[in-house]
Amino acid sequence: MEKAANGLLSLQGMRILLIFLIAALTAGAAQAQLPEPVAQSLRTAGIPENAVAFWSQALQDGRQQSHRSSAMLNTASVMKLLTSYAALDLLGPAYSWKTEALTDGPIRNGTLKGALILRGGGDPFLTWDRFGMLVRELRERGLRRIEGDLVLDRSAFAAQSPEDFDGKPARAYNAQPDALMVNFNAVTLRLQPVQQGVSATATLPVAGLHIENRLALQANAPCTGWKNAVAARIEQDGETLQVTLPGRFPASCGEKLLNLAAPDPARFTGNVFRALWQELGGSFSGPVSEGPTPASAAPLASWSSPPLAEILRNQNKYSNNVMARHIFLTLAAGNGHSASPENSIARIQAWMPNHGLDPAQWILENGSGLSRQERTSAAQLGVLLLDAWRSPRMPDFVASLPILGVDGTLHQRLSDTPLQGRGYIKTGSLDGVKAAAGYLLDAKGQWRAFVWMVNHPKAELSDPAFDALLKHLYQASP
């Protein structure tokens, strides 16, 4: 038995050593010239080659290409690959989150003589309709009238410091994680030109929502940058959620959906509950408060999220930042610690060495890539891709990524070309940052893992260079 155990440890040790060796060879490789079509596109865009990092390896024969692959660069949303793979490995693809409804008083003839408590478990995908199913279950169990408070227990996540990433707090991508987050903490408005000007209506009912629509219709303006032109503001004033639209809306846009992050997640959840409860014929006029669940509270109903593997497909296909932050925080909670960024970082750093990753070469903040601090190298991302490919979690990891020219954030990229459908790729974008990483099936039928990062003020002009890179890899060029 001891001999068998030693043999198992030896095999595991050899696997880890091999991964470290690959990482070392990759990081230390001579910095090859970028393929000429890629270099030419960068020159046209005015982006120097020293602002770019690239790494690639053919998964069958191990041939590598690299350029500045050891440089520490901002990854933007490509950082979601680390969060996704760590979550699949540490939590498991079947992991799910639970949201519970409890009571601290008796229910008599359909009336609750006490508080209704909603306890959040950090579900990253508690959309309006899913939350509505939980509320509907309360009515199905005979509850009609609530005479006490609606108490929100958000303690599963440590309190998050308010952030203003880019001076646009109303943008939905800036929504903050919350253990009882409903509908990504976002209000969706439908904007469309009408004879009188611009119509602005909420797509889903939210109690207390008031829209002050002062939008002017622009007859001959292009649709580019329409969100900035609308200049939406959203504020919580007591029970009222005030949305102000003071700007302009180009007629050429047709119908658009505008997602706005609510400034107070707790009040927003309370407003959504009131709207749903009223729709279902329930009665509730009490206040919404926050606090821990009393030990004496009795469970009444619960809702479980879809499994992690399904959650990741929604997160990565559409690069949802707040979902990634929920999963990142859950890594700490799943280890019996407070769900704080610090504890999540510590758990990921402890996990990294067994997968060939060097914690010293990763700067983490929130796991979503919506960060000016988060960084790693193309070589380290390459090691992650190689380890994930050989992992039992590979099918779920790869399936979560956008398919080139088919769906998600890549549904239009290189569609109607021979590359359509042949890549599973996560992209990322911030001001001054463009990045991509994933897998591509080349013309010879061999899978290639690759990483591409651009950190430069003109990074937004690098898309033609990235397309040239994909074509180069597809052609199976050395």
Side-chain angles (χ1 to χ4, degrees):
M1 178 69 98
E2 182 179 353
K3 183 177 180 181
N6 287 337
L8 181 61
L9 288 172
S10 177
L11 288 172
Q12 175 69 3
M14 289 175 64
R15 177 176 180 269
I16 294 171
L17 180 61
L18 178 62
I19 295 172
F20 270 117
L21 182 60
I22 292 171
L25 289 172
T26 303
Q31 298 305 305
Q33 296 253 339
L34 287 168
E36 180 52 33
V38 178
Q40 178 58 52
S41 291
L42 290 172
R43 287 192 292 269
T44 300
I47 300 172
E49 292 187 16
N50 64 9
V52 175
F54 161 60
W55 173 96
S56 174
Q57 178 170 317
L59 297 178
Q60 287 178 247
D61 61 26
R63 286 179 302 151
Q64 289 188 5
Q65 303 174 65
S66 68
H67 171 77
R68 299 187 69 247
S69 62
S70 61
M72 293 283 288
L73 298 177
N74 191 308
T75 64
S77 282
V78 171
M79 188 59 75
K80 292 180 175 71
L81 293 179
L82 175 67
T83 300
S84 300
Y85 184 33
L88 283 169
D89 195 61
L90 291 168
L91 303 176
Y95 183 91
S96 67
W97 291 258
K98 182 181 288 186
T99 306
E100 300 170 283
L102 308 96
T103 62
D104 72 349
I107 299 176
R108 298 191 181 97
N109 298 321
T111 298
L112 171 59
K113 303 287 186 176
L116 177 69
I117 301 137
L118 297 179
R119 180 163 61 192
D123 186 345
F125 203 50
L126 190 61
T127 54
W128 191 92
D129 55 323
R130 288 177 166 85
F131 185 58
M133 293 294 288
L134 173 61
V135 176
R136 181 177 294 276
E137 186 176 347
L138 299 177
R139 289 289 286 119
E140 290 173 351
R141 290 179 179 272
L143 182 59
R144 181 183 58 81
R145 179 180 176 83
I146 303 168
E147 291 193 345
D149 292 4
L150 176 67
V151 180
L152 308 180
D153 184 345
R154 308 156 65 207
S155 60
F157 284 177
Q160 304 294 304
S161 300
E163 299 175 17
D164 188 358
F165 173 75
D166 56 1
K168 300 174 182 177
R171 292 290 179 90
Y173 58 76
N174 277 319
Q176 298 297 301
D178 188 274
L180 192 53
M181 178 181 71
V182 172
N183 211 55
F184 312 116
N185 194 38
V187 176
T188 301
L189 303 182
R190 178 176 284 108
L191 307 180
Q192 54 187 340
V194 293
Q195 189 173 10
Q196 297 80 13
V198 182
S199 169
T201 56
T203 60
L204 297 169
V206 177
L209 177 63
H210 180 262
I211 302 172
E212 185 179 347
N213 178 11
R214 303 201 300 265
L215 288 174
L217 187 64
Q218 287 185 294
N220 299 312
C223 191
T224 54
W226 67 271
K227 290 181 182 178
N228 290 329
V230 168
R233 299 195 303 270
I234 182 168
E235 300 169 307
Q236 189 80 44
D237 182 11
E239 296 299 319
T240 300
L241 186 60
Q242 177 70 41
V243 173
T244 306
L245 307 173
R248 306 175 307 279
F249 186 72
S252 60
C253 288
E255 182 180 301
K256 290 289 187 181
L257 295 179
L258 178 64
N259 296 309
L260 302 174
D264 187 332
R267 288 188 179 274
F268 179 70
T269 296
N271 288 357
V272 174
F273 178 86
R274 287 183 190 277
L276 288 167
W277 194 242
Q278 184 176 5
E279 273 195 350
L280 294 170
S283 173
F284 168 61
S285 57
V288 177
S289 60
E290 299 179 52
T293 302
S296 59
L300 184 59
S302 67
W303 174 265
S304 293
S305 75
L308 173 64
E310 182 178 335
I311 294 283
L312 287 177
R313 287 195 290 275
N314 285 281
Q315 171 200 285
N316 287 332
K317 295 282 188 184
Y318 301 99
S319 205
N320 190 299
N321 292 310
V322 74
M323 290 179 73
R325 296 182 68 172
H326 270 234
I327 294 168
F328 184 76
L329 288 170
T330 301
L331 289 170
N335 204 28
H337 296 295
S338 170
S340 68
E342 295 76 17
N343 286 332
S344 295
I345 290 171
R347 192 177 188 196
I348 290 178
Q349 288 176 332
W351 168 86
M352 281 180 168
N354 286 336
H355 297 270
L357 301 171
D358 179 4
Q361 296 187 54
W362 295 79
I363 299 174
L364 305 177
E365 183 181 17
N366 57 45
S368 74
L370 188 68
S371 166
R372 289 297 176 187
Q373 283 72 49
E374 290 193 324
R375 274 169 170 69
T376 191
S377 67
Q380 281 287 294
L381 280 167
V383 173
L384 185 152
L385 291 172
L386 294 177
D387 192 72
W389 187 263
R390 300 182 179 107
S391 163
R393 303 282 76 85
M394 182 273 283
D396 290 316
F397 179 74
V398 175
S400 75
L401 305 180
I403 303 173
L404 183 62
V406 174
D407 68 3
T409 55
L410 293 178
H411 72 283
Q412 291 183 325
R413 187 168 223 118
L414 296 176
S415 58
D416 299 323
T417 76
L419 282 79
Q420 184 176 19
R422 298 179 74 93
Y424 291 81
I425 304 166
K426 182 74 195 77
T427 58
S429 179
L430 295 172
D431 287 344
V433 180
K434 283 279 190 175
Y439 308 97
L440 185 74
L441 184 64
D442 68 25
K444 295 180 180 178
Q446 181 169 191
W447 284 100
R448 292 171 174 243
F450 77 92
V451 181
W452 166 259
M453 292 194 286
V454 181
N455 282 196
H456 189 269
K458 294 183 178 180
E460 64 179 10
L461 303 177
S462 66
D463 282 355
F466 177 48
D467 288 347
L469 176 68
L470 291 176
K471 293 172 184 177
H472 169 81
L473 294 174
Y474 170 72
Q475 291 162 0
S477 301

